[in-house]
């Protein structure tokens, strides 16, 4: 049996009335007309679809990707498990198998089976033995049994577990720091290493009993902890020259987090509990407070001092300043985690989308001129990761096109872990709307640096401010170099032969535009390090990328307004408006830009040291025109540079590659040596002058 045509398969497929037939005919005409229109527009739609697809591919290819990075992953157990524990304690080994040294001691004292069957009784016997014949090895055995027993009871008897952790911390502390046994301790002995671990983990778990969901705060000068039959009071001491106790909103345990967004986790092994100290918004009007990121995170270490004759003291050390403490009459290194606080702070900063997503600065530059949530400043500008240190030299990291300060976090993480750099430098970040022409950003950077100096060092008495170092990547390198350039009127002559003061129109507009093209060296800057910087433009800034920026982006309103007003009021004085018509950063970076010729003739500041790090893609090393994929080696070269270094990296990866980071670290150390030599020479000259004056 043949099936009817599909046309008749549906019951209501055919119209039943004449009106329905007319409607079908009319619909058919409309359909034919639409088909004709679509066929006419098809080529245009196809081109638009291809253009849009190309735009998306470019966006994906060159996006920095910072906003998608997950910086830390929590190791805390699920909320249900924490509820079952009635307060989370860090897991300790459940096995009652002791270390080899402890097993030997237990067998010698005939307490091996007692320690397995009744640990409390074994501890009591060991304490009696210690009172009769004090031996350091007995302290270690008591500490280890107490630590194991605390871990076994952590879920079902939290208070008893805390008591055992306190006992483990007390005996391990005595083992490590009892001055009477200092000559018998061997730091190479596995027992000594085990005691360090037991002390650190026991102290951490004691602190956890005062925490809520992995965080605790210092309210007052003591912490009170409830035992089964008594209350333990821990006196607290806060040791930091930069922070007050009231500045710290809460502490979290570094061990609760796994760093996933940074390549390296830098730690110093020693005694104590590494913490992430999260600060509140600084209410104290300290110098430079307005430049600190809200809710900074800084590394700290908690050390529980358990001397026999004194009340227990819980000391909190600022790890950016203190790397050791004194205990038992000797200097002891503190356990420090430098990386986790950085990663945690970046994870907490994810809500500040403009600080994470470089696309906003490129395509929506006006948003960075808006005020911060507290209204104290514009979003753009200088940012500090630590309070201002008058005794440290500022190092300002300047990001490039389609980027944010997030690009520098690998470098910041590494530099922050090097003691000589951490003790002598303070790292700042410059955040700017990178969608505007780079000479406009350079002028704004100049003003922002001057504002920081006025607010922090108004009397200009801090010599460390005059040793400032700039590190710029890509377009940020151009912005940095222009801070130390003497342009005379070379750039301005590209626009007009008339002096700005002789032009008519609004003086404020005229002066603003003149700032974009007149550069004078900043005497506060002693060194500039450029990385993958297009000193002669980039082939990446072509018609396609310029059109894409125009299509998806918005121009900086203030810049556009000043430029348009200046052009309208001074048309007859302008011999070449080309540069003024460049309205985006991509426009300004094209190789045809006449600004490059003028830049080659700018004069460098004689007191500034220039270093250049150039990226080279592996696949382009043998090419006739090697490059980093965005900037050619030829364009990345600059005649002012004292030293060139080539690294194997793509353009976007140069600030994060190990070779470049180590080169920056080497330069910073060299600058310290140079500063020391200059200071020594100056002191000698002054001394000779004084002796000569006295001789006369």
């Amino acid at each position: 049996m043949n099936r009817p045509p599909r046309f008749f398969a549906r019951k209501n497929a055919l119209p039943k009335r004449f009106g329905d037939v007319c409607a079908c005919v009319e619909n058919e005409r409309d359909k034919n007309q639409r088909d004709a229109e679509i066929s006419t527009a098809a080529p245009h739609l196809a081109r638009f679809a291809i253009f849009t697809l190309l735009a998306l591919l470019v966006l994906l290819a060159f996006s920095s990707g910072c906003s998608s990075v997950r910086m830390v992953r929590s190791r805390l157990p699920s909320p249900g498990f924490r509820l079952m524990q009635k307060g989370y304690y860090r897991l300790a080994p459940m096995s009652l198998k002791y270390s080899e040294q402890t097993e030997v001691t237990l067998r010698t004292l005939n307490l091996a089976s007692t320690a397995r069957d009744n640990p409390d009784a074994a501890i009591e016997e060991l304490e009696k033995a210690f009172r009769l014949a004090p031996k350091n090895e007995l302290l270690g055995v008591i500490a280890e049994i107490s630590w194991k027993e605390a871990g076994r009871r952590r879920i079902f008897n939290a208070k008893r577990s805390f008591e055992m952790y306190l006992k483990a911390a007390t005996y391990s502390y005595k083992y490590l720091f009892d001055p009477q046994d200092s000559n018998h301790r061997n730091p190479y002995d596995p027992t000594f290493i085990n005691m360090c671990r037991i002390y650190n983990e026991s102290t951490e778990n004691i602190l956890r009993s005062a925490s809520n969901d992995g965080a605790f705060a210092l309210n007052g000068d003591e912490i009170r902890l409830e035992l089964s039959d008594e209350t333990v009071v821990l006196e607290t001491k806060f040791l930091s020259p930069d922070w007050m106790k009231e500045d710290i909103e809460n502490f979290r345990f570094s061990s609760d987090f796994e760093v996933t967004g940074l390549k390296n986790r830098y730690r110093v092994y020693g005694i104590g509990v590494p913490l992430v100290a999260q600060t509140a918004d600084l209410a104290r009007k300290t110098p430079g407070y307005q430049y600190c990121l809200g809710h900074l995170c800084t590394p700290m270490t908690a050390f529980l001092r358990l001397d026999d004759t004194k009340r227990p003291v819980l000391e909190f050390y600022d790890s950016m300043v203190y790397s050791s403490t004194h205990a038992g009459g000797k200097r002891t290194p503190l356990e420090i985690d430098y990386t986790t606080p950085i990663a945690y702070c970046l994870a907490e900063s994810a809500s500040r989308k403009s600080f994470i997503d470089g696309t906003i600065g490129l395509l929506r530059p006006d948003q960075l001129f808006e005020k911060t949530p507290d209204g104290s400043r514009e979003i753009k500008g200088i940012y500090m990761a630590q309070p201002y240190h008058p005794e440290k030299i500022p190092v300002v990291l300047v990001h490039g096109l389609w980027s944010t300060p997030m690009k520098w976090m690998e470098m910041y993480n590494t530099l922050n872990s090097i003691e000589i750099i951490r003790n002598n430098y303070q790292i700042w970040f410059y955040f700017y709307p990178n969608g505007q022409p780079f000479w406009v950003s350079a002028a704004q950077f100049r003003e922002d640096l001057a504002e920081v100096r006025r607010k922090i060092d108004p009397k200009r008495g801090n010599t460390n401010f005059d040793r400032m170092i700039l590190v710029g990547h890509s377009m940020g390198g151009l912005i940095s170099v222009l801070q130390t350039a003497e342009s005379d009127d070379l750039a301005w002559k590209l626009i007009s032969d008339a002096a700005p003061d002789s032009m008519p129109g609004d003086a404020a507009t005229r002066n603003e535009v003149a700032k974009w093209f007149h550069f004078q060296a900043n005497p506060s800057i002693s060194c500039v390090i450029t990385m993958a910087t297009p000193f002669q433009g980039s082939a990446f800034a072509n018609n396609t990328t310029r059109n894409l920026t125009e299509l998806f982006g918005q121009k900086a309103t203030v810049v556009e307004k000043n430029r348009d007003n200046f052009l309208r009021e001074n048309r007859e004085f302008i011999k070449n408006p080309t540069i003024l018509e460049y309205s985006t950063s991509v426009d300004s970076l094209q190789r045809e830009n006449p600004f490059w010729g003028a830049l080659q003739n700018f004069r460098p500041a004689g007191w500034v040291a220039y270093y250049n790090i150039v990226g080279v893609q592996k696949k382009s090393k043998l090419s006739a025109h090697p490059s980093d994929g965005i900037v050619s080696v030829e364009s990345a070269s600059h005649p002012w540079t004292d030293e060139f270094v080539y690294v194997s990296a793509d353009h976007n990866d140069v600030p994060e590659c190990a070779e470049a980071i180590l080169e920056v670290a080497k330069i910073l150390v060299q600058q310290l040596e140079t500063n020391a030599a200059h200071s020594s020479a100056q002191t000698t000259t002054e001394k000779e002058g004084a002796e000569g004056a006295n001789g006369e």
Side-chain angles (χ1 to χ4, degrees), residues 109 111 122-130 138 141-142 145:
L109 297 175
L111 290 174
I123 291 173
E124 186 176 348
E125 291 296 324
L126 288 165
E127 289 175 333
K128 290 179 181 178
F130 180 79
L138 295 178
V141 174
I142 298 172
I145 295 176

Side-chain angles (χ1 to χ4, degrees), residues 114 238 301 356 656 677:
T114 305
F238 192 82
T301 299
I356 304 295
E656 300 172 328

